[in-house]
Amino acid sequence: MDDIVKQALAKWPNVPHCYGWLGLDARGNWFMRDDGTQAMGPFAQAKGSQLRHDKLIDFIQRNYEHDERGQWFFQNGPQRVYVELEAAPWIWRVAEDFSVTSHSGRPVEPTACLLDDAGKLYLVADIGLGLVHTQDVGLAAEAIEQGRWVPENVRAEDLPARFGHVLSPAAGQPAHPL
């Protein structure tokens, strides 16, 4: 976590949390979701505006964490901005040498490989569960063919409970008037 964020937390410890305004899609892209977008439905249906400012994205990714309930958030100064997840808390990129990094650039070592009922491929690492980026599925298939990763068949709806993450923190919050 950035020092400036830690200082803001110490200075303003009781800032209300923010729900529904930030999303991470299945390709590792960040989206801002204003009130109008949120009113159109859940994140998978109404993503909002994709963030394209590299320094803002880097700031979000450096301050991306989860709470004790498995809700992922971006610590924005004194405020927690909870993240709507389209698929998983992490999106993995696979390189030609089969090394794996998160959407935030963090290198990881996969410990398990999962294939869901819709054909989506996930990897498990010490930082949690992540979906393999669609552009890297071919490389992941090569790793599987070489026996580096052995997929376990799973049901997608079982993954949040199994790995302790919440796809939609906003879904558990009372609705607010527009």
Side-chain angles (χ1 to χ4, degrees):
M1 191 177 295
D2 288 1
D3 285 338
I4 193 166
V5 172
K6 291 177 187 174
Q7 292 168 7
L9 277 167
K11 188 171 182 178
W12 299 290
N14 297 316
V15 173
H17 301 321
C18 179
Y19 292 89
W21 284 78
L22 184 63
L24 178 68
D25 78 356
R27 294 176 62 94
N29 297 310
W30 294 97
F31 288 82
M32 287 298 294
R33 304 180 72 237
D34 62 16
D35 279 331
T37 300
Q38 292 178 52
M40 292 188 316
F43 180 57
Q45 294 172 343
K47 289 186 178 177
S49 301
Q50 185 176 344
L51 296 180
R52 299 196 185 278
H53 191 279
D54 290 337
K55 290 186 188 238
L56 175 59
I57 292 167
D58 290 344
F59 181 62
I60 290 170
Q61 293 180 158
R62 283 194 316 271
N63 296 286
Y64 180 57
E65 309 222 1
H66 64 87
D67 66 15
E68 65 284 347
R69 294 184 0 211
Q71 299 177 115
W72 286 81
F73 63 89
F74 153 53
Q75 189 69 49
N76 183 24
Q79 184 175 55
R80 278 189 183 179
V81 179
Y82 281 95
V83 178
E84 299 294 296
L85 303 172
E86 183 174 0
W90 299 102
I91 306 303
W92 305 130
R93 298 306 313 249
V94 180
E96 289 188 19
D97 65 356
F98 306 119
S99 61
V100 179
T101 57
S102 71
H103 63 273
S104 64
R106 184 172 172 178
V108 298
E109 187 64 40
T111 58
C113 179
L114 310 171
L115 182 65
D116 77 9
D117 39 355
K120 293 180 182 172
L121 190 65
Y122 299 82
L123 298 173
V124 181
D126 63 337
I127 61 173
L129 177 74
L131 178 69
V132 173
H133 192 287
T134 55
Q135 290 180 325
D136 299 339
V137 169
L139 288 167
E142 286 182 41
I144 291 168
E145 287 175 6
Q146 291 181 18
R148 293 173 182 257
W149 302 332
V150 179
E152 170 193 341
N153 291 321
V154 296
R155 293 177 346 145
E157 64 263 16
D158 295 339
L159 295 176
R162 179 173 172 184
F163 292 96
H165 62 272
V166 176
L167 292 174
S168 178
Q173 297 302 308
H176 65 279
L178 294 178

